[in-house]
């Protein structure tokens, strides 16, 4: 056994879904399946764009310590379990995470409304929820903060929470109390809504998409 030298202070970190630890980790017994599943999550977390998928060739043999047949076996088991999705477009085979984004991509490819090689706007992009936005830009999500975010979604208009988080980041006031104070002021005093309604989106949705993308890019820096 080669002794691990330890992590460095310049490490980057990969976010894993809570469902992986709550369910998959205890259920996956096969080492090949566990390796390809965790490797997949690491790779796609560092990918840009709405289509986050890998082919068999994207699984690095050296990094995984697996042969081609072992990778194939691990992928088949992950697809059978349902943690990964498999879709074929002409001669290309893609593997995606079984998430709202992944399921939307598979459906769009299968019904012919979207081609991953061409791209375009037809692919429905999953919008990150407020919990993910908070963790990426403000700090760790505690039960109290989670409850506060749920309440805020019911009280305030679409896009306001993302806007408030952006202001908190811009002003270097990374805490929920600051965000909440902004939201309360907007609700009490009103705020000027932008009239950008292209693509037949509901009020606040297009601006929300833009704000979310800006926040996610800033969080990765």
């Amino acid at each position: 056994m080669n002794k691990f030298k330890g992590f460095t202070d310049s490490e980057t970190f990969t976010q894993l879904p809570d469902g992986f630890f709550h369910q998959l980790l205890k259920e996956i017994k096969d080492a090949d399946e566990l390796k390809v599943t965790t490797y997949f999550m690491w790779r796609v977390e560092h990918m840009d764009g709405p289509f986050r998928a890998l082919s068999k060739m994207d699984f690095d043999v050296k990094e995984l310590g697996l042969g081609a047949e072992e990778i194939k076996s691990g992928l088949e088991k992950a697809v059978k379990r349902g943690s990964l999705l498999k879709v074929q477009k002409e001669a290309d085979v893609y593997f995606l995470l079984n998430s709202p984004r992944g399921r939307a991509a598979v459906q769009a490819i299968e019904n012919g409304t979207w081609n991953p090689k061409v791209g375009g706007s037809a692919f429905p992009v999953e919008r990150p929820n407020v919990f993910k936005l908070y963790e990426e830009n403000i700090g760790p999500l505690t039960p109290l903060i989670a409850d506060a975010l749920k309440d805020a979604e019911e009280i305030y208009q679409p896009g306001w929470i993302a806007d408030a988080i952006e202001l908190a980041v811009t002003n270097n006031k990374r805490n929920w109390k600051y965000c909440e104070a902004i939201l309360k002021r907007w609700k009490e005093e009103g705020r000027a809504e932008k009239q950008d309604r292209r693509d037949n989106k509901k009020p606040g949705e297009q601006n929300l998409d833009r704000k979310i993308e800006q926040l996610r890019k800033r969080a990765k820096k």
Side-chain angles (χ1 to χ4, degrees):
M1 177 186 296
N2 294 325
K3 187 174 178 59
F4 179 56
K5 295 181 179 179
F7 300 103
T8 68
D9 57 4
S10 60
E11 297 282 349
T12 58
F13 292 85
T14 301
Q15 294 189 22
L16 294 177
D18 288 344
F20 174 79
F21 296 100
H22 294 161
Q23 183 175 355
L24 288 178
L25 189 60
K26 63 183 179 182
E27 292 183 356
I28 298 176
K29 307 299 183 183
D30 182 81
D32 296 346
E33 181 186 354
L34 181 61
K35 285 186 176 183
V36 298
T37 302
T38 52
Y39 181 84
F40 177 91
M41 292 180 181
W42 168 69
R43 281 291 301 271
V44 297
E45 177 69 18
H46 295 280
M47 294 175 68
D48 295 321
F51 187 60
R52 300 184 180 184
L54 300 180
S55 68
K56 288 181 183 177
M57 300 302 294
D58 292 321
F59 289 83
D60 193 294
V61 173
K62 291 184 178 180
E63 287 191 333
L64 282 168
L66 299 175
E69 287 301 316
E70 292 171 317
I71 292 175
K72 179 182 178 182
S73 174
L75 285 170
E76 289 176 349
K77 291 174 181 177
V79 171
K80 183 177 180 180
R81 185 179 301 280
S83 53
L84 298 184
L85 302 173
K86 179 181 178 181
V87 63
Q88 184 166 353
K89 180 65 175 178
E90 299 172 350
D92 299 311
V93 177
Y94 302 100
F95 295 92
L96 303 93
L97 190 68
N98 188 359
S99 65
R101 181 198 296 269
R103 293 189 290 273
V106 169
Q107 184 178 6
I109 292 171
E110 289 181 339
N111 62 28
T113 60
W114 194 74
N115 188 333
K117 285 188 174 181
V118 177
S121 59
F123 171 57
V125 180
E126 176 193 16
R127 180 179 297 150
N129 59 39
V130 293
F131 307 112
K132 188 173 180 65
L133 286 177
Y134 183 91
E135 288 183 309
E136 288 180 340
N137 295 276
I138 304 299
L141 190 66
T142 66
L144 287 176
I145 294 296
D147 289 340
L149 288 170
K150 289 179 184 177
D151 293 340
E153 282 190 298
E154 296 179 0
I155 297 172
Y156 304 107
Q157 296 184 30
W160 281 23
I161 298 176
D163 289 344
I165 290 175
E166 184 187 32
L167 277 176
V169 172
T170 301
N171 296 329
N172 197 28
K173 302 288 186 180
R174 296 171 185 261
N175 61 78
W176 174 243
K177 286 185 177 181
Y178 185 84
C179 297
E180 193 172 34
I182 293 173
L183 292 168
K184 287 181 178 179
R185 185 175 73 249
W186 286 343
K187 190 174 187 299
E188 293 172 359
E189 301 177 4
R191 62 174 300 204
E193 292 293 334
K194 295 182 179 179
Q195 299 302 313
D196 191 351
R197 298 293 182 266
R198 291 191 299 271
D199 299 329
N200 295 321
K201 290 192 174 185
K202 295 179 181 179
E205 284 189 350
Q206 184 166 353
N207 186 51
L208 176 57
D209 288 338
R210 186 165 57 251
K211 295 295 184 184
I212 287 173
E213 187 60 29
Q214 292 172 351
L215 287 168
R216 296 201 68 171
K217 288 180 178 179
R218 189 175 298 173
K220 290 180 179 179
K221 291 181 179 180

